[in-house]
Amino acid sequence: MEAQGTFHKYETLWHHLDTALVTPGSYSTSKLRSHLEANKQDLLSPLKYAGRSDVANREVMSGSVQIRGREHQLSEEFKKEVTSLSTLLELNELLTTELLVDAREQQARFVDLDIAQIAVHLFHKERTVGLHCILSLLKERYVAREHSEYVKIFTNELINKGLANNICHLISKYTKELSTKVPETNQHPTVVQNHIKYKNEQRKILTEILFYIYYSTTASTDQLVEVYRILEEATHTMTSKTSFVEPTDHYAFQVSYALMVTLFCMMDVEHPLMDASTGEMVDNPLDSDPHSSLVRTLLPLLSKSEPSDNYYHLGFQRSIHLSLSLFMKARNKEKDIYKRIDTILRQDVLLFLKKVAENPIFRNDDNVHLFLPAMHDLVQAWLQDTLFWENSEDKFFGQMMDLIATLAKDQPVIAIKYWIQQTESAHLPYFIQVSTDRIYTEQLFVPYLHMLTSLTAGDICAYHAYTFLKTSKNRLVNWDNFFHILDQYYADYAENQYHAADQYNFNPQSRHKVMRKEDGQGMQAILQLIQEILKQDERIVAMMCENSTWHPLETLFGLLICPLQSGEGCATALKAQVTLTIASFVQNRDLATKIWAFLESSQVLQTVVDANVPRGQDTGIKYELEEIEAGQEEYPFTIAFCRLINDLCKYAMPSHLGNAHRDSGLLPYLAFIRDSVFRRFDERAYKSRGQQWHVAAEALRLFNTVLTQYQFSSSDFSENPWEIQGRSVRVQKSMGFELLRNFLTGHVILTKLLNILAAGHDFLAEQREEHPFFEEAVLLSLEILNQVMAKEDRFVECSKNLRQGTVNLTPFEKLLRGHTVIIANYINYDFRSGITLFSIKLLHQLSQVQEELVDRLDASPDRLNIIVGYAAKLQTEEVDEVDEEEEVSPNDVVSQDKWKEYQYGKSIRLAIVDMLLDNIDQGRRSKRNIVYFLLGWYDGHDLHNLGILTCLRVILDLLSEPLFSILDPALSERMYKFIYRVCTNAEIGTATLNFLRVRDFFCSQLREMDTELSKENRIFQLNQRGWLLKLIALELHCNPSVTSKRNILSLLLEGDDHSHAWERPRLRLLEYLEAFHYRVEDPPALDRSPFVIKKEQYIIEGRRGHRIFDIHALHSALLREKQKMEAATSYAAKHNLNLGEQLNLALSVCVRYNQFNEEFGSQIFAFQSWKQVVEVALMECYGYFKKQGKEVIMYDLLAIVLEKQNSIDTRIPIATHLADTVLVIIAKLRQQRSRLGAAMELPSAQLQGVLQGILTGISRNGSTPYMRGSLYSSLMNYLSLTSRTAFTSSTEADEMESQQIALEDITFRMLEAGGEKLLKTLSMDASDGADVWKSVALSTLDVLMSYDRNAHWLYYLAQSGHLAHFIADLKTREEDLLDTLKPNPGNHVILLCHSGRFIGCDVH
């Protein structure tokens, strides 16, 4: 057996494949080629493993087997497990043994699973990964990348060798196995169920592979018939007899519709296909078959199929029959083809296709973006025959429009074909034009509008639809008529004007007019069309509102307060659509403010007390909710009203609303949704439980929006009335204030919210498809709790200023204590990234304030599940990619957040690492730290020795992946930082370092970490390398192992593999220095702008500790200032300013300023870390250097460092760190010289360069006293290094003394050449500045005097007055000197400074 294991070959291939596919370049293409060629047979014949055999069984029963070179002794119990599992998996006994051994070795990674369950998981995981390898290659055929051409050639070769036939065989085999009874074994039912589930999932992937093969590849008649035969087999397991029942076998449904679409593609004659044998695009060969073999073979199978009462089986069969008939029509192969198609249409095949296309399982399929266009091609083929559809019955024409509406929904690629003429679909715009003329009956009006609504997908399509209806000549289908219809209904139903209290008529039989069901459906269709168009294009909102004849908002609010009634609940549904349409107009602040005013004046929600209404009598929407919707057990109007309030709050929350009639503000709206909607949502009756969660989710969505928008205001924390137009007006507290106070006082809404979380995890995992809005409610609950936690401190602080105090505010963490384990458990919820993310963030906040948190988690029976769950989420980030341009329905709350959900998924890993970092950085000595818990080192536990998956193990695994730091630079930067913080932690640092050493972390990281930086990720990479180098320095300092230190030093100080034979090898340490050394682009000047704000007050400390602008806060301040200036309209006009452009300019300058500070700060950090490695290596590990070449390495380092230090591209802060490094190296050389004496050779040429570099650095413009102080010290060390040394033998003296004399002469001449400039700088530093630098400068002067052969320098000091200043300064410090006789810890500093002064005076 292979060393890597039989059940790891596909996993290894997937790793190489994934790496090659995401990394462009010829090298990755070459690697991809080699891996694919090596695994070609496994890809051609996937899932092929040896079956059971007597020989293998006897070997296992013997009790001793060889697995990957190791002998294993098998117990009787283990042999029984092998026999049972081998029977279930139909797998060779030896392979089963290997599988169980793997499972036993990994058991600690899988909490609460036995060996058999783990073995089944590993077995099917390998098979699934193998299928994904093939699927990824086939998908890559349609992507334009550097390696795509090779992938096409390779996959064509697989197809030519029979890949499609092998896949068909496997699908058929799986279908038969899944439809028969599983072999009898003694396995636990869970093991069997998981085995069946995995096989169903693999059958689905096999079907996807088949689809991608035939999506654009030619097929023969036999192959098409074989695919149809497999479809027939799959559909027999779906036993629904009517269209009203969902398919009983969801897996079979997925397989069936994928096979159906595959057959559609195979019979498509409109698009060219690829011939796998030549790689060229050709016409479909089935179309050019002179013998019509497809028709003669497939038609009898479709026509003579046995009768069936299986709705889905018949539906799929008739769909294929329709596709074949259209194929035949295109080839004119049957005289009565229209009659055949008409017969099929009468079997409701169009309704079936619509049902398939709108099924949630289908819509959520990963390949729906290809399935829908393929199904639409069928419609397109039908619409090509204008004569046929123009004369079709209204029933079929309506069904066709319904199908188009379903296929085009949220699909701009399909919708655009109906508006812009394209070669292959030129007839579709004509279809829109002509079909309008058929809309003269109620039967077609609603389907037509539904179709038109779907065809507005995307802003381009929406604008075309708007223009089409604006210019339409049809008397029924145009905007004027639509708004006339709405206006007419409003006028008709509101013709009897009566008191507002009667609007909802307390006696429903008296005045309500009954609306026909058809009228209600037509109006709803118009309203849905308006909603969709407004959602897509904001320009249309303005055009509609500005139209003087339509006055949409007035009409819509009029309809909203009309006393409508319908025996079938049409009224509430219609009012819901009216409300949603109003919400669609909320596109900016001005419109939101206008709609708030309409809403207040309409009194849809009664906010003003009316004397004509009996006390306690509900009116308006309260009446609708309590009397009508509660009675019908459906709540569309309430849901829509919550949505409207939520949308309005996003743009505007006018505090003066209603000030003419009541206490101004928005609290009545919050109170209604809080008390009447959310507080009682779980007490009402519902036709479907899903609507219960829909009501809760909409209320929670509003709470979340209000808290997000809330800005702390002094008026909320004051009881004083406002003065408005000369009168005192009581202003209600803002909604945000009220909500925060509710939550922080333990209001019942907090209890309701926590109850949702408590019920959530198990319920969601079991029934998420049935109740998607419950999932939304859980997500919003977690978001709200996060917001309350984040705002609590500020709220409590501001509340202290409230005159009468606040009402029993309770620390929020106390209110959540009973739910911390529930919150932590959401880490194991795998279906929605947002839920996982906000549970992590909430636990993060709680971990900062709840000292008992870890005790609760550790005492929980779910302890290991939580630890492993966090590690698993950190390990794999499975997020479905979403196209940024993807359109979503405004009425589908879940799909609205699809793109946001993708972003949530990408943030999960960052959130986990940020939580770990913040807690490890707290510096608390307490062992009750969530970091210790999640890392497996809590309360004496060491989960790493047990092999349990922990966050630390995952972080190290990820950092060991070659491409990880490139693909996710932000995350890898944090991970390196976290590893360093853990290693320096007093409690677990030693254990962590030992764990890293066992994994050879330090050497492997140095080998793998690229020294070069990429421009786009430079900030991240500087910090990655900075933290890694700090880790290396720490390891060199702490590790007692000489061998380990030597291994690290050899990697740092030996040449790399890129050096040429004639070049001196480049040191990796110097390569890092070269990479870090570049000039960051100069920061922009903070331009003067017309906005009167102090930008500096918005500077904060960023995540990396750098000073940056808080862009969000600055943007809000600039917006407020812009609004003030726009109110004074004369200002902008007077100065000819575009304030919007000025605002954007001011922000862009601050963003660039942030970019500079982040990059330059990161560069400094990288240099600091590099310097730390050099210091530790030289000062603590010099004895471990290789004996030969030690000094050569140091001179090389010294030369490069001095060059970088004095480069004009090196800013002073970085030059200062390099000056420190120069001092360390020269001090080490001087130390070695002191130890070795004359035996240490002094390279004259290199030393001259060193001296020149030091002198240049001292005289550099802008240098700081600190930098010069380091260089003064370096100069003194240099002069000591190059001074003459006594020789032990006359021979040695003869050889060396002349060299030293020559070096001394050169040193003298170089010092004399720069004498006055050097002395001037030294004298200035000795006279002014910090005492420590004065002392260093005076000491340097003392050393230099020994080189003053002609007393020129002494004369300069006397003439310039510096010497007199030194003496005078000494006299004034006499008292300080006397104070040193007193006992004081700081006296040694004073003595050091005075000694420098005495040295300076001794010169005289």
Side-chain angles (χ1 to χ4, degrees):
M1 296 181 184
E2 298 176 21
Q4 68 173 359
T6 305
F7 300 99
H8 296 281
K9 61 182 180 181
Y10 282 128
E11 189 174 351
T12 304
L13 173 60
W14 173 256
H15 173 74
H16 293 302
L17 180 63
D18 187 50
T19 301
L21 291 180
V22 299
T23 309
S26 56
Y27 176 75
S28 65
T29 302
S30 174
K31 293 282 287 183
L32 177 64
R33 186 190 302 264
S34 63
H35 289 303
L36 291 180
E37 293 296 334
N39 292 274
K40 183 183 293 184
Q41 194 55 43
D42 290 327
L43 294 170
L44 180 61
S45 303
L47 313 186
K48 195 172 183 180
Y49 295 101
R52 302 172 65 197
S53 74
D54 293 337
V55 175
N57 187 51
R58 283 195 297 271
E59 186 173 346
V60 170
M61 291 301 112
S62 70
S64 178
V65 296
Q66 287 279 336
I67 297 176
R68 295 194 289 275
R70 290 173 52 197
E71 186 168 333
H72 292 262
Q73 301 299 319
L74 310 181
S75 66
E76 290 299 320
E77 188 66 30
F78 194 91
K79 287 188 284 186
K80 289 180 182 178
E81 192 70 68
V82 170
T83 302
S84 174
L85 196 61
S86 174
T87 303
L88 178 67
L89 301 180
E90 298 180 356
L91 184 65
N92 181 274
E93 287 82 353
L94 285 174
L95 292 177
T96 306
T97 304
E98 179 185 353
L99 185 63
L100 284 166
V101 168
D102 285 348
R104 186 168 58 188
E105 291 174 351
Q106 299 185 46
Q107 189 168 18
R109 286 172 161 261
F110 297 89
V111 181
D112 297 335
L113 296 184
D114 60 27
I115 292 179
Q117 289 174 300
I118 298 169
V120 170
H121 169 75
L122 294 176
F123 174 73
H124 285 294
K125 178 186 175 185
E126 172 70 2
R127 294 164 74 86
T128 303
V129 168
L131 295 178
H132 276 297
C133 287
I134 302 171
L135 187 58
S136 294
L137 284 170
L138 291 169
K139 288 181 177 182
E140 201 69 17
R141 289 157 62 93
Y142 310 104
V143 181
R145 297 195 228 208
E146 189 170 341
H147 46 244
S148 296
E149 194 59 38
Y150 169 71
V151 171
K152 286 179 184 177
I153 294 171
F154 181 80
T155 50
N156 281 340
E157 184 179 351
L158 293 181
I159 293 170
N160 282 328
K161 290 185 176 181
L163 175 63
N165 293 335
N166 294 340
I167 297 299
C168 285
H169 171 73
L170 284 170
I171 298 173
S172 182
K173 177 175 177 288
Y174 269 42
T175 300
K176 290 175 183 176
E177 290 174 355
L178 289 166
S179 61
T180 57
K181 191 176 180 180
V182 177
E184 289 291 337
T185 67
N186 60 357
Q187 290 294 341
H188 191 277
T190 303
V191 175
V192 177
Q193 290 168 9
N194 288 341
H195 172 63
I196 294 171
K197 177 185 173 184
Y198 286 127
K199 292 186 76 169
N200 270 309
E201 290 172 351
Q202 288 159 24
R203 181 174 61 151
K204 179 181 180 296
I205 301 172
L206 286 165
T207 312
E208 291 180 64
I209 291 172
L210 198 64
F211 168 75
Y212 275 95
I213 290 174
Y214 289 128
Y215 178 69
S216 64
T217 310
T218 58
S220 67
T221 295
D222 290 342
Q223 288 172 323
L224 190 147
V225 171
E226 177 65 13
V227 174
Y228 176 73
R229 185 185 62 78
I230 298 170
L231 173 62
E232 285 271 290
E233 293 172 352
T235 56
H236 278 296
T237 61
M238 293 182 290
T239 57
S240 300
K241 295 184 179 182
T242 70
S243 62
F244 301 104
V245 180
E246 289 295 312
T248 54
D249 187 341
H250 287 188
Y251 289 110
F253 180 59
Q254 290 174 309
V255 168
S256 299
Y257 67 63
L259 290 171
M260 176 189 73
V261 177
T262 302
L263 287 164
F264 289 168
C265 294
M266 296 172 82
M267 287 186 278
D268 182 8
V269 297
E270 296 297 323
H271 301 93
L273 303 173
M274 181 181 290
D275 186 341
S277 60
T278 63
E280 297 179 355
M281 301 303 291
V282 298
D283 292 333
N284 193 332
L286 296 177
D287 186 37
S288 57
D289 179 9
H291 304 292
S292 302
S293 56
L294 173 62
V295 176
R296 289 189 290 105
T297 307
L298 184 58
L299 191 58
L301 295 177
L302 292 167
S303 304
K304 297 180 180 179
S305 182
E306 296 179 6
S308 171
D309 61 352
N310 185 327
Y311 171 77
Y312 286 95
H313 172 75
L314 290 174
F316 282 116
Q317 181 191 82
R318 290 163 181 167
S319 300
I320 303 305
H321 198 169
L322 176 62
S323 179
L324 179 64
S325 300
L326 292 171
F327 172 83
M328 294 164 61
K329 183 178 73 69
R331 304 180 74 240
N332 297 315
K333 287 298 178 183
E334 186 174 344
K335 183 177 180 181
D336 296 327
I337 190 65
Y338 290 110
K339 184 177 179 181
R340 178 183 295 278
I341 293 174
D342 186 70
T343 302
I344 299 170
L345 292 178
R346 291 184 183 281
Q347 296 171 336
D348 289 336
V349 67
L350 297 178
L351 288 178
F352 173 79
L353 288 171
K354 176 180 178 292
K355 184 171 181 63
V356 171
E358 68 186 6
N359 190 291
I361 299 172
F362 180 88
R363 299 303 285 204
N364 291 322
D365 196 292
D366 292 339
N367 304 294
V368 71
H369 64 292
L370 296 177
F371 289 167
L372 286 172
M375 292 178 69
H376 182 262
D377 285 343
L378 192 73
V379 175
Q380 194 169 304
W382 187 69
L383 295 180
Q384 276 184 336
D385 195 329
T386 308
L387 183 64
F388 183 62
W389 61 260
E390 281 185 338
N391 295 297
S392 62
E393 296 179 18
D394 282 356
K395 174 185 175 183
F396 303 144
F397 194 74
Q399 290 177 356
M400 178 57 69
M401 288 192 292
D402 280 337
L403 178 58
I404 293 172
T406 304
L407 296 177
K409 182 179 173 61
D410 304 328
Q411 298 295 315
V413 174
I414 295 175
I416 197 70
K417 295 181 178 182
Y418 288 84
W419 303 112
I420 298 178
Q421 205 166 59
Q422 301 175 11
T423 304
E424 72 279 4
S425 58
H427 54 287
L428 296 183
Y430 175 73
F431 168 74
I432 291 292
Q433 294 286 343
V434 176
S435 61
T436 309
D437 297 333
R438 291 195 58 171
I439 311 306
Y440 45 78
T441 65
E442 290 180 344
Q443 188 177 6
L444 294 180
F445 184 74
V446 172
Y448 178 82
L449 289 184
H450 286 166
M451 179 184 71
L452 214 56
T453 301
S454 291
L455 294 180
T456 62
D459 55 345
I460 297 174
C461 296
Y463 189 78
H464 276 285
Y466 173 80
T467 305
F468 171 73
L469 291 172
K470 189 86 163 46
T471 58
S472 173
K473 305 296 185 190
N474 186 290
R475 65 180 183 83
L476 294 177
V477 182
N478 61 76
W479 285 123
D480 289 333
N481 185 56
F482 291 163
F483 282 106
H484 174 73
I485 292 172
L486 298 177
D487 203 41
Q488 190 62 42
Y489 271 103
Y490 166 46
D492 185 33
Y493 281 83
E495 61 183 3
N496 295 321
Q497 297 296 325
Y498 43 80
H499 197 272
D502 291 333
Q503 287 175 357
Y504 289 87
N505 208 331
F506 309 135
N507 181 10
Q509 281 72 39
S510 60
R511 292 183 178 176
H512 278 92
K513 294 189 175 183
V514 178
M515 176 180 286
R516 293 191 314 134
K517 177 183 177 182
E518 292 78 8
D519 292 346
Q521 290 175 342
M523 288 183 67
Q524 288 184 56
I526 292 172
L527 293 168
Q528 288 166 355
L529 174 61
I530 296 172
Q531 292 168 35
E532 190 67 23
I533 286 182
L534 294 182
K535 183 199 78 171
Q536 299 293 350
D537 195 332
E538 186 177 346
R539 296 172 301 171
I540 300 174
V541 176
M543 288 187 281
M544 280 193 176
C545 290
E546 292 168 3
N547 191 296
S548 59
T549 60
W550 295 346
H551 45 83
L553 290 176
E554 291 86 343
T555 300
L556 291 169
F557 271 103
L559 278 172
L560 203 55
I561 61 174
C562 281
L564 304 176
Q565 184 180 353
S566 169
E568 300 185 28
C570 179
T572 52
L574 177 58
K575 287 192 175 183
Q577 290 302 323
V578 171
T579 308
L580 291 173
T581 306
I582 294 171
S584 300
F585 280 90
V586 185
Q587 300 272 350
N588 56 55
R589 183 181 179 86
D590 291 341
L591 276 170
T593 304
K594 183 178 181 180
I595 292 171
W596 270 120
F598 270 119
L599 187 61
E600 177 71 14
S601 63
S602 69
Q603 289 291 287
V604 172
L605 173 68
Q606 186 180 352
T607 61
V608 179
V609 177
D610 192 327
N612 296 318
V613 178
R615 182 177 293 245
Q617 177 66 60
D618 290 329
T619 64
I621 191 171
K622 283 187 179 181
Y623 177 80
E624 292 277 353
L625 171 62
E626 302 296 347
E627 301 297 331
I628 299 177
E629 291 186 316
Q632 295 172 352
E633 299 183 1
E634 291 183 313
Y635 303 84
F637 188 21
T638 299
I639 290 171
F641 185 79
C642 291
R643 182 81 63 86
L644 171 61
I645 301 301
N646 179 65
D647 289 348
L648 288 170
C649 288
K650 288 179 182 178
Y651 288 98
M653 295 187 192
S655 58
H656 302 306
L657 187 70
N659 60 19
H661 308 287
R662 61 179 177 84
D663 291 349
S664 62
L666 303 176
L667 280 189
Y669 298 92
L670 173 67
F672 167 69
I673 295 174
R674 180 192 62 199
D675 301 331
S676 298
V677 179
F678 184 69
R679 188 172 181 173
R680 297 186 55 200
F681 85 93
D682 55 351
E683 300 170 6
R684 293 191 172 94
Y686 297 86
K687 278 188 177 177
S688 68
R689 197 175 181 192
Q691 193 164 89
Q692 173 186 355
W693 305 122
H694 196 171
V695 170
E698 290 300 338
L700 290 168
R701 193 187 306 279
L702 173 67
F703 298 164
N704 190 44
T705 298
V706 168
L707 290 174
T708 302
Q709 301 289 98
Y710 179 57
Q711 299 289 329
F712 285 88
S713 170
S714 58
S715 62
D716 283 333
F717 300 91
S718 171
E719 298 297 338
N720 297 325
W722 285 26
E723 290 292 327
I724 298 178
Q725 296 179 350
R727 61 190 181 93
S728 295
V729 177
R730 287 183 55 83
V731 179
Q732 295 174 345
K733 305 299 182 186
S734 69
M735 291 199 291
F737 174 89
E738 187 67 18
L739 263 183
L740 276 173
R741 183 161 59 181
N742 290 160
F743 281 113
L744 293 174
T745 53
H747 192 279
V748 68
I749 62 170
L750 176 62
T751 304
K752 299 279 184 179
L753 187 149
L754 293 175
N755 287 342
I756 292 174
L757 290 183
H761 188 267
D762 294 337
F763 182 84
L764 284 171
E766 293 171 4
Q767 305 185 50
R768 67 181 299 266
E769 289 184 1
E770 184 180 350
H771 301 305
F773 285 105
F774 186 31
E775 190 175 57
E776 188 75 7
V778 170
L779 172 60
L780 290 164
S781 298
L782 290 168
E783 285 192 64
I784 289 166
L785 295 179
N786 268 283
Q787 293 217 60
V788 176
M789 283 285 295
K791 296 177 186 289
E792 178 186 13
D793 289 344
R794 178 82 185 276
F795 186 88
V796 172
E797 180 184 347
C798 293
S799 294
K800 295 176 182 177
N801 301 323
L802 189 60
R803 178 179 297 176
Q804 298 174 352
T806 54
V807 184
N808 298 325
L809 293 181
T810 305
F812 200 54
E813 58 90 8
K814 286 187 178 181
L815 297 172
L816 300 185
R817 281 183 184 175
H819 291 77
T820 49
V821 175
I822 293 170
I823 292 164
N825 258 315
Y826 274 106
I827 191 66
N828 291 304
Y829 185 67
D830 297 325
F831 303 104
R832 186 136 185 208
S833 302
I835 289 176
T836 305
L837 176 63
F838 284 104
S839 72
I840 295 167
K841 289 188 173 185
L842 185 55
L843 196 68
H844 182 173
Q845 293 195 72
L846 289 171
S847 68
Q848 307 286 297
V849 293
Q850 277 192 7
E851 292 191 359
E852 305 86 359
L853 171 67
V854 182
D855 292 337
R856 291 195 190 91
L857 297 179
D858 195 55
S860 167
D862 296 321
R863 169 178 170 270
L864 284 181
N865 283 326
I866 295 170
I867 293 173
V868 174
Y870 267 86
K873 283 294 186 296
L874 198 57
Q875 185 178 46
T876 52
E877 186 182 7
E878 297 179 356
V879 186
D880 294 332
E881 293 200 9
V882 180
D883 184 356
E884 291 189 47
E885 301 300 323
E886 183 176 352
E887 302 294 337
V888 291
S889 166
N891 297 321
D892 185 352
V893 177
V894 178
S895 68
Q896 265 189 338
D897 296 328
K898 204 170 183 182
W899 175 247
K900 186 191 292 185
E901 186 68 13
Y902 173 56
Q903 297 301 323
Y904 287 160
K906 293 178 69 176
S907 303
I908 286 175
R909 286 173 162 179
L910 286 173
I912 293 174
V913 177
D914 282 345
M915 179 175 73
L916 295 173
L917 269 172
D918 282 357
N919 279 280
I920 202 70
D921 277 349
Q922 281 183 345
R924 294 184 301 180
R925 296 292 179 179
S926 171
K927 294 183 179 180
R928 298 155 73 183
N929 190 316
I930 196 168
V931 175
Y932 308 157
F933 174 75
L934 292 176
L935 264 58
W937 280 313
Y938 179 71
D939 198 21
H941 301 300
D942 186 351
L943 301 183
H944 302 94
N945 290 335
L946 301 176
I948 291 176
L949 191 68
T950 65
C951 289
L952 179 60
R953 187 185 293 273
V954 170
I955 288 173
L956 297 180
D957 287 342
L958 290 172
L959 292 178
S960 67
E961 295 179 6
L963 289 176
F964 177 68
S965 62
I966 298 172
L967 299 177
D968 204 335
L971 181 61
S972 61
E973 175 197 335
R974 286 172 167 87
M975 286 182 170
Y976 280 116
K977 180 180 179 180
F978 175 69
I979 294 296
Y980 178 78
R981 295 292 191 218
V982 173
C983 288
T984 55
N985 181 271
E987 297 292 338
I988 60 175
T990 302
T992 304
L993 282 169
N994 290 332
F995 188 63
L996 297 183
R997 290 163 192 158
V998 170
R999 295 174 61 103
D1000 191 30
F1001 174 80
F1002 301 100
C1003 288
S1004 63
Q1005 285 294 308
L1006 278 176
R1007 281 191 292 267
E1008 295 295 335
M1009 179 69 79
D1010 192 357
T1011 54
E1012 295 182 3
L1013 307 178
S1014 64
K1015 188 173 182 180
E1016 59 274 12
N1017 290 322
R1018 202 150 50 189
I1019 295 176
F1020 297 117
Q1021 292 174 339
L1022 283 168
N1023 286 282
Q1024 290 169 11
R1025 285 144 183 78
W1027 289 114
L1028 176 60
L1029 289 175
K1030 287 178 76 71
L1031 276 165
I1032 297 299
L1034 180 67
E1035 173 67 357
L1036 288 173
H1037 174 71
C1038 296
N1039 195 340
S1041 169
V1042 174
T1043 303
S1044 297
K1045 290 184 177 182
R1046 282 179 173 161
N1047 289 338
I1048 292 174
L1049 290 171
S1050 67
L1051 286 169
L1052 288 171
L1053 302 174
E1054 291 184 4
D1056 64 12
D1057 298 333
H1058 303 294
S1059 302
H1060 298 292
W1062 61 86
E1063 295 178 332
R1064 175 181 289 179
R1066 291 176 293 174
L1067 308 184
R1068 182 173 290 272
L1069 198 59
L1070 287 180
E1071 285 194 331
Y1072 278 120
L1073 181 62
E1074 291 285 355
F1076 298 161
H1077 184 263
Y1078 64 93
R1079 186 170 183 84
V1080 181
E1081 186 179 348
D1082 289 334
L1086 294 177
D1087 297 335
R1088 298 178 65 183
S1089 68
F1091 303 108
V1092 188
I1093 63 170
K1094 293 181 179 179
K1095 295 180 184 176
E1096 292 73 15
Q1097 68 183 358
Y1098 295 98
I1099 291 179
I1100 59 174
E1101 185 177 290
R1103 184 176 54 81
R1104 298 186 179 95
H1106 309 142
R1107 285 168 55 81
I1108 59 173
F1109 283 107
D1110 184 342
I1111 298 296
H1112 179 75
L1114 183 60
H1115 183 231
S1116 299
L1118 288 171
L1119 276 177
R1120 290 193 295 270
E1121 188 67 19
K1122 174 176 173 282
Q1123 290 165 3
K1124 289 179 184 177
M1125 294 173 68
E1126 285 175 340
T1129 54
S1130 59
Y1131 181 89
K1134 179 180 178 181
H1135 294 82
N1136 194 26
L1137 290 176
N1138 183 324
L1139 293 179
E1141 289 183 3
Q1142 291 294 320
L1143 186 149
N1144 291 334
L1145 178 62
L1147 282 178
S1148 66
V1149 168
C1150 294
V1151 168
R1152 296 204 311 274
Y1153 178 88
N1154 285 0
Q1155 172 74 17
F1156 169 80
N1157 275 7
E1158 287 280 7
E1159 186 167 0
F1160 185 49
S1162 299
Q1163 191 181 32
I1164 292 174
F1165 172 68
F1167 273 107
Q1168 288 174 331
S1169 304
W1170 183 87
K1171 179 184 73 172
Q1172 192 174 349
V1173 171
V1174 174
E1175 289 173 350
V1176 175
L1178 292 180
M1179 295 305 176
E1180 300 182 28
C1181 306
Y1182 191 74
Y1184 307 127
F1185 284 30
K1186 290 186 177 179
K1187 290 184 178 180
Q1188 296 180 345
K1190 286 183 179 180
E1191 289 77 16
V1192 173
I1193 289 173
M1194 286 201 289
Y1195 283 119
D1196 283 349
L1197 275 172
L1198 199 51
I1200 299 292
V1201 171
L1202 281 166
E1203 177 193 339
K1204 303 300 181 190
Q1205 170 199 280
N1206 297 322
S1207 169
I1208 60 173
D1209 289 334
T1210 305
R1211 297 181 188 275
I1212 293 300
I1214 292 175
T1216 301
H1217 290 295
L1218 293 173
D1220 286 346
T1221 309
V1222 171
L1223 174 59
V1224 170
I1225 299 172
I1226 294 181
K1228 191 63 185 180
L1229 286 169
R1230 182 192 58 77
Q1231 184 187 63
Q1232 289 299 103
R1233 172 73 176 206
S1234 299
R1235 189 173 65 84
L1236 299 175
M1240 179 176 170
E1241 184 179 354
L1242 297 177
S1244 177
Q1246 288 175 285
L1247 284 169
Q1248 291 177 48
V1250 170
L1251 178 57
Q1252 186 59 55
I1254 293 172
L1255 296 175
T1256 303
I1258 290 172
S1259 61
R1260 179 172 174 178
N1261 290 334
S1263 60
T1264 61
Y1266 182 98
M1267 175 181 170
R1268 292 194 297 275
S1270 296
L1271 291 173
Y1272 294 154
S1273 301
S1274 298
L1275 180 58
M1276 288 189 285
N1277 277 278
Y1278 173 86
L1279 295 175
S1280 175
L1281 169 67
T1282 57
S1283 63
R1284 293 193 214 178
T1285 305
F1287 300 100
T1288 57
S1289 67
S1290 58
T1291 305
E1292 199 176 57
D1294 292 339
E1295 294 175 356
M1296 304 290 292
E1297 187 171 12
S1298 60
Q1299 296 179 15
Q1300 289 200 1
I1301 293 172
L1303 180 59
E1304 193 174 85
D1305 287 340
I1306 293 170
T1307 301
F1308 170 74
R1309 288 197 299 273
M1310 292 178 68
L1311 290 172
E1312 193 172 42
E1316 279 199 20
K1317 189 174 183 180
L1318 175 63
L1319 283 176
K1320 183 178 180 181
T1321 306
L1322 274 166
S1323 300
M1324 294 292 291
D1325 284 335
S1327 303
D1328 189 24
D1331 283 345
V1332 64
W1333 302 127
K1334 288 182 183 180
S1335 177
V1336 172
L1338 287 166
S1339 299
T1340 307
L1341 279 172
D1342 178 53
V1343 174
L1344 284 176
M1345 286 304 116
S1346 63
Y1347 286 82
D1348 187 15
R1349 296 177 181 177
N1350 302 317
H1352 290 164
W1353 299 345
L1354 183 59
Y1355 179 76
Y1356 170 80
L1357 290 175
Q1359 288 296 108
S1360 63
H1362 287 298
L1363 194 57
H1365 177 77
F1366 297 155
I1367 296 170
D1369 186 51
L1370 183 62
K1371 289 180 180 180
T1372 61
R1373 300 297 182 107
E1374 185 176 354
E1375 290 185 7
D1376 292 343
L1377 185 60
L1378 291 173
D1379 286 341
T1380 60
L1381 300 175
K1382 301 174 183 177
N1384 191 321
N1387 284 344
H1388 68 283
V1389 178
I1390 300 173
L1391 283 171
L1392 177 63
C1393 296
H1394 274 288
S1395 67
R1397 294 188 183 94
F1398 282 122
I1399 288 170
C1401 294
D1402 188 51
V1403 170
H1404 179 64

